[in-house]
Amino acid sequence: MQNPAEDRPRTFPVRIWRGDANGAFQQFDVPRHASQTVLDVVTHVQRHLDPSLAYRYACRVGMCGSCAMTVNGKARWTCRTHVDTVAVDGTLEIAPLNHLPILRDLVVDMAPFFDKWAAARGQFSATATRRDDFAKVSPSSPARRAIDATIECIGCGVCYASCDVVEWKPDYLGPAALNRAWTLVNDVRDGDGVARLRAIAADGGCQSCHTHQSCTRSCPKHLSPTASIAGLKRLVARAAMKGTL
Ligand code: SF4
Ligand code: SF4
Ligand code: FES
C-alpha cells in the first residue's frame, strides 16, 4: 500500500522580499521539482500561497529581460536560472534588483535605468528617410563585427545591479547604457555620433568605469559591457586628440 506522504512533493524554504525598501523577507515552503527555475518558484508562491506577491516577467524564455531579481545575493535572470544551480544549503533568498528603487516586493522601478540609456543617447538617430533604399551593411565589415554580440542585449539590468560604481556614483551611466552607446557609434546608419560621444565623455560617462568586470561576469547573455566601454574610451581619447569632441 502507498504512503500518501511519499506522494507529496518535498518542499524547501524560500525567503522572498516583501514590501518597499523598508520591507522584510517572508518565508514560504515551496514544492521542489526537477528542472525548476527560480521564476517557477516565485510563480508558485504567487499562484498558490500569496496572490498579493508582486513580481515581473513576460517571455519565460530569456528574451524580454523583465524577470531579473537578486537570487542568493546575485543579480540573475530568473526564468533561465535553475534552482539546482543557485540554491545554497537547499534554500533560496529572492530579492529585488539592487541599485533601483523598489516599487513593491520583487518589482523595481526601471525608469532610472532607461533614463540613463537616454542620457547616453541610446536612441537610434536615422540619417536616411523612408524614401531612401535600405542601407546595405556588410556582416563582415569591422564596424558590424564589433557589435555582433552587443546587439543581443535584452535590457535586463543584471549588469547594472552588479556594478559597484553605479552604487557609489549615482550619475554613472552604467554598463548597459554604455553598451548600447557602443552599439550605436558602430552603426553606420546612425547620425548622432559626435553628440553621443560628448554625452559619454562627460562626467558619469565611460571614464567612470573601473574595469572590474562584474557586469561582464554577470551578464546572462554572455556579453561584455566592459569591452564595449573600453572601445568607447578609445574613441573618446581619439576624438579628444583630434579636437572633435
Ligand atoms: S567593468 Fe565598469 S561597468 Fe562593468 S561592473 Fe565594472 S565599473 Fe561597472
Ligand atoms: S548587457 Fe547583459 S546584463 Fe546588461 S542589460 Fe544587457 S543583457 Fe542584461
Ligand atoms: S521572463 Fe523574459 S527574460 Fe526572463
Side-chain angles (χ1 to χ4, degrees):
M1 198 165 77
Q2 275 193 316
N3 178 354
E6 286 175 0
D7 293 340
R8 281 200 297 273
R10 65 193 167 90
T11 62
F12 73 120
V14 178
R15 283 156 48 80
I16 297 182
W17 187 261
R18 304 305 306 270
D20 59 15
N22 298 314
F25 284 100
Q26 181 180 359
Q27 183 164 317
F28 299 91
D29 288 321
V30 178
R32 189 74 174 86
H33 300 291
S35 303
Q36 189 174 25
T37 65
V38 175
L39 184 61
D40 291 336
V41 169
V42 176
T43 300
H44 176 90
V45 172
Q46 197 269 343
R47 292 196 182 158
H48 301 285
L49 303 177
D50 187 344
S52 71
L53 175 67
Y55 70 116
R56 193 186 272 137
Y57 77 96
C59 72
R60 298 182 72 112
V61 290
M63 289 175 67
C64 72
S66 65
C67 67
M69 301 170 201
T70 307
V71 184
N72 281 349
K74 288 193 177 162
R76 299 181 181 277
W77 57 357
T78 57
C79 70
R80 302 290 299 273
T81 300
H82 284 95
V83 173
D84 285 336
T85 62
V86 291
V88 174
D89 297 330
T91 69
L92 287 181
E93 186 177 89
I94 307 172
L97 279 184
N98 286 330
H99 307 154
L100 289 161
I102 302 172
L103 292 176
R104 201 182 95 201
D105 302 340
L106 300 172
V107 178
V108 292
D109 181 2
M110 295 296 285
F113 175 76
F114 287 112
D115 285 348
K116 289 183 176 179
W117 284 50
R121 301 186 78 89
Q123 55 281 70
F124 177 71
S125 176
T127 50
T129 70
R130 63 180 58 195
R131 286 183 297 282
D132 294 316
D133 197 1
F134 289 111
K136 295 178 183 62
V137 180
S138 167
S140 58
S141 68
R144 179 61 182 78
R145 293 189 63 178
I147 57 171
D148 274 353
T150 65
I151 58 173
E152 301 296 335
C153 173
I154 56 173
C156 64
V158 165
C159 57
Y160 188 84
S162 307
C163 173
D164 291 344
V165 178
V166 170
E167 181 171 8
W168 54 260
K169 187 169 173 50
D171 67 339
Y172 176 43
L173 295 173
L178 291 169
N179 181 71
R180 172 69 179 161
W182 173 248
T183 304
L184 288 175
V185 295
N186 283 288
D187 189 330
V188 294
R189 304 163 305 163
D190 182 274
D192 203 21
V194 175
R196 187 173 297 108
L197 268 194
R198 284 189 183 133
I200 58 180
D203 192 37
C206 61
Q207 308 298 351
S208 297
C209 168
H210 286 197
T211 322
H212 54 45
Q213 307 216 38
S214 301
C215 54
T216 298
R217 280 194 298 275
S218 64
C219 174
K221 298 288 287 184
H222 304 295
L223 310 185
S224 176
T226 318
S228 300
I229 296 166
L232 290 174
K233 287 178 177 174
R234 285 194 297 275
L235 284 185
V236 166
R238 227 173 281 153
M241 280 191 284
K242 282 190 198 160
T244 53
L245 263 189

